[in-house]
Amino acid sequence: MQLYKNQDLKIYNTLTGNKEVFKPIHEGNIGMYVCGPTVYSNVHLGNVRTFMSFDVIYRYLKHLEYNVRYVRNITDAGHLTDDGDVDNDRFVKQSRLEKLEPMEIVQKYTVDFHKVLDNFNFLPPTIEPTATGHIIEQIELIEKLIEVGVAYESKGSVYFDVLAYNKKGLNYGELSNRNIDELFANTRDLDGQSEKKNPQDFALWKNASPAHIMRWNSPWGAGFPGWHLECTAMSTKYLGETFDIHGGGMDLKFPHHECEVAQGKACNGVSPVNYWMHTNMLTMNGLRMSKSTGNYILPMELVNGENDFFEKAFHPNIVRFCFLQAHYRSVLDISNDAMIASEKGFNRLADAYKLGKNLEASSTSTLDINSWKKACYDAMNDDFNSPILIAQLFEGVRFINLVNDKKNTLTSEDITLLNKTLHSFLHDVLGLNLENISSTASSDNNKLEGVVNMLIEMRDEARANKNWALSDEIRDKLLALGIQLKDGKDGTGFSVN
């Protein structure tokens, strides 16, 4: 029997605003689409957090023995910051800035994106389609939207008609809980948007000027697709007219995902997605991350230590562990103190995981491992609550220490179950690389031990020379760092508090 049949998984659905019991369209199979990166620059640390959340969701669904088709797209064309100005095409702007062809920009930052995610031990999606690889599908969708009366051509561009959509008894704004009348009342026509019937109408296809580099032929002339259209084209092609889960950052809820809902309903007459999931934002030192304010760091700068915000480099395992200590729907704030605390917590888990393999078995168990295992599943079944799961994993650490200290006992079967459950959730679900867990902790411990022993030798030499001031200074500074020296008849040792 598949593991998912014994679970009661609940997912918070943005569309309804409630946690709902998850029921896939086809038993045992899940279609999941996540909006991928726009590859005109290095991937943002906040994007890594979003993709990591869905990596864990994908891992858990696979762990439950679902067959998951996970589609995560690459946006490599058509991402306008303003429908009214084709000069705001991010790829064109970046290609001019770096003096490269647009597709060189795409290749450069797609490679960077994959390298970063590989460093953080992401599983690849099952399909990773590109916008430029699906121009035909997007043109076909536009033709259908025109045919059903919710799109119109204007000066070589095509726009989705929001008012016409609502007149069909549909509801533009249902995902983000926006009132269409208020949207119209609170907006004014902008310069450069005279092609549109209404300011809220969004581009399905944009006419390309002769100077515009990225361009494809279409029934409406040379141009390029609108940003919102690509996800509808690719998700329906690979997952069907209605699929199970669609995810992305909360910043995409409006207008991007709202437009996807409208496109899907208008084309196919059905809601395109059963469960909409959105991750919350990442902040640093209590402030929004932004290049303009300087409160900004790239993912690999956190790993290699080449930044002005953190006192040291942090292994990707530590970064991943830190991110997963916040629920995906909560704001996550990272800081130097948070990363240091995460490193300590991670190493506690690493040490216990190693210790658990060497526990002595007894004839009876005084700890309830089955109930603990169920609590781990309960955490993830409650809308993928990784912080509660981590708290339960630390409860497992406590069990290991109690048994190791001979304060409690476990049978051989329960020791095996304890270790197997730890491995499953640490490695398979949370994606922490167990091949590096022990080495990360022991390597750091070896470095610390080497430095402290060197200082102990310097202190011994100072004491031999009756340089008591230097001897006391070394002792006191180590103590301030949480390292206590212990003088004994066999020499000086130390403990870390």
Side-chain angles (χ1 to χ4, degrees), residues 373-421:
K373 176 184 175 181
K374 181 180 182 301
C376 291
Y377 279 101
D378 286 346
M380 288 302 289
N381 288 336
D382 184 16
D383 194 29
F384 309 99
N385 202 322
S386 59
I388 299 299
L389 170 62
I390 289 171
Q392 289 299 331
L393 296 180
F394 275 112
E395 181 71 358
V397 168
R398 188 176 73 87
F399 287 175
I400 289 171
N401 289 329
L402 286 171
V403 174
N404 185 64
D405 294 340
K406 312 298 183 185
K407 295 178 180 177
N408 285 83
T409 61
L410 289 176
T411 63
S412 175
E413 291 79 6
D414 276 347
I415 290 173
T416 299
L417 179 60
L418 173 60
N419 286 323
K420 182 180 178 181
T421 304

Side-chain angles (χ1 to χ4, degrees), residues 180-203:
I180 187 66
D181 294 328
E182 291 178 2
L183 282 174
F184 275 81
N186 294 330
T187 55
R188 58 185 175 81
D189 208 358
L190 301 175
D191 292 340
Q193 291 192 331
S194 57
E195 294 178 355
K196 298 183 182 183
K197 291 181 180 179
N198 307 289
Q200 289 73 22
D201 296 347
F202 55 90

Side-chain angles (χ1 to χ4, degrees), residues 229-349:
L229 189 66
E230 63 173 279
C231 288
T232 297
M234 290 184 278
S235 63
T236 55
K237 176 170 182 174
Y238 297 111
L239 300 175
E241 293 179 356
T242 300
F243 54 95
D244 297 296
I245 298 171
H246 193 315
M250 65 180 298
D251 57 313
L252 299 180
K253 184 165 60 174
F254 187 89
H256 185 53
H257 290 161
E258 194 72 70
C259 294
E260 283 190 63
V261 172
Q263 290 166 166
K265 278 192 168 183
C267 267
N268 304 313
V270 292
S271 185
V273 179
N274 283 351
Y275 301 86
W276 284 93
M277 301 181 68
H278 292 93
T279 61
N280 214 319
M281 66 188 298
L282 176 73
T283 60
M284 185 165 67
N285 296 320
L287 301 172
R288 182 176 179 271
M289 291 188 68
S290 169
K291 285 184 180 179
S292 60
T293 62
N295 193 55
Y296 181 83
I297 184 174
L298 290 172
M300 296 315 296
E301 290 174 340
L302 186 55
V303 172
N304 62 31
E306 296 175 3
N307 64 82
D308 297 325
F309 299 99
F310 298 88
E311 67 182 62
K312 55 178 286 187
F314 293 96
H315 191 279
N317 267 332
I318 308 299
V319 179
R320 189 173 178 109
F321 182 67
C322 177
F323 281 17
L324 297 179
Q325 288 181 87
H327 188 259
Y328 76 88
R329 287 193 291 113
S330 301
V331 174
L332 168 63
D333 185 65
I334 59 168
S335 64
N336 188 72
D337 288 347
M339 290 303 302
I340 293 295
S342 293
E343 185 173 56
K344 290 179 179 178
F346 178 86
N347 287 340
R348 275 185 61 206
L349 274 173

Side-chain angles (χ1 to χ4, degrees), residues 56-74:
V56 169
I57 290 166
Y58 177 41
R59 285 172 174 274
Y60 186 61
L61 295 174
K62 283 170 65 71
H63 174 73
L64 293 183
E65 300 175 15
Y66 281 106
N67 177 34
V68 186
R69 176 175 286 183
Y70 175 23
V71 182
R72 187 186 65 211
N73 72 300
I74 296 285

